Amino acid sequence: MSALARLLAALLSRPVTLAMMAATTVGYALLFLWLSGDIAGGGRGGVQLSLTAWQRMFESRGPLRFEPVGLVELGPWVWTLSPLDTLIALGLGLLLGGNLAGLWLARREPAACPRRAPHVAGLAALPALLAGGACCAPLVVVWLGLPIAGGLAVLAPWLIPLAYLALVLGLVRLAAGCEQQGQAGRGGGR
């Protein structure tokens, strides 16, 4: 079994890390969808679901942004449902949650990373923390009306793929660091 598979199995087998990953996934996805304008206020207080435009699901409205297929109204909230945007947001949230839970596991659980070297967890978490804000940072800058927004608009199409890459590399680095520390702690030394 590879180091990454062992790390993922450890994350999924512990209720604390599983809850941490689930909360981060949902929280990040909601924040991403709210900042990108897919979720907003303005609901009439009821519950309404209208999914009428499935043929538009793959139509692009910008770099890695897709057209909504329907409208979900939950109380005061309105969600213009774009399944692909939601999938992107959930994927980023899951990877961010995995990185943060992996960092917690490396620092708190001796069985997962026997020597718990601080540099292993810190270096692995750095991409998670930076990439976690990479997708929403330009939206926050625009939302705040800061003058740097024009410069970030040029980089925006690259931020989501770079965030995915950084988060995956963070998990791989964390898994490799734990594996190296585990082998050194068991006398494997290689």
Side-chain angles (χ1 to χ4, degrees):
M1 185 186 275
S2 73
L4 185 57
R6 277 191 289 281
L7 176 64
L8 292 176
L11 290 176
L12 296 175
S13 67
R14 290 169 171 78
V16 172
T17 54
L18 192 57
M20 189 181 301
M21 288 174 61
T24 303
T25 300
V26 171
Y28 183 83
L30 288 173
L31 179 66
F32 179 86
L33 293 170
W34 177 63
L35 288 173
S36 64
D38 285 358
I39 295 178
R44 293 174 290 206
V47 176
Q48 178 184 355
L49 175 64
S50 172
L51 302 173
T52 58
W54 286 102
Q55 70 277 7
R56 300 177 61 195
M57 188 165 107
F58 295 104
E59 290 180 22
S60 178
R61 60 178 161 159
L64 290 176
R65 300 280 299 146
F66 298 92
E67 289 292 333
V69 300
L71 184 75
V72 178
E73 189 175 324
L74 293 170
W77 301 104
V78 176
W79 178 16
T80 54
L81 177 63
S82 171
L84 296 178
D85 287 351
T86 304
L87 190 61
I88 289 170
L90 287 170
L92 284 169
L94 183 62
L95 285 171
L96 179 62
N99 273 273
L100 295 176
L103 169 64
W104 183 87
L105 188 67
R107 300 286 296 157
R108 302 279 183 205
E109 293 280 335
C113 277
R115 292 194 45 209
R116 296 185 295 170
H119 70 280
V120 170
L123 288 176
L126 186 60
L129 297 175
L130 293 175
C135 298
C136 296
L139 299 171
V140 171
V141 170
V142 169
W143 187 57
L144 293 174
L146 299 176
I148 193 172
L152 285 179
V154 174
L155 297 175
W158 295 99
L159 291 180
I160 291 175
L162 289 176
Y164 266 104
L165 181 64
L167 289 168
V168 168
L169 289 176
L171 274 176
V172 168
R173 172 74 178 123
L174 182 60
C178 284
E179 184 68 17
Q180 287 174 347
Q181 294 303 324
Q183 288 177 356
R186 290 188 299 263
R190 284 188 199 193

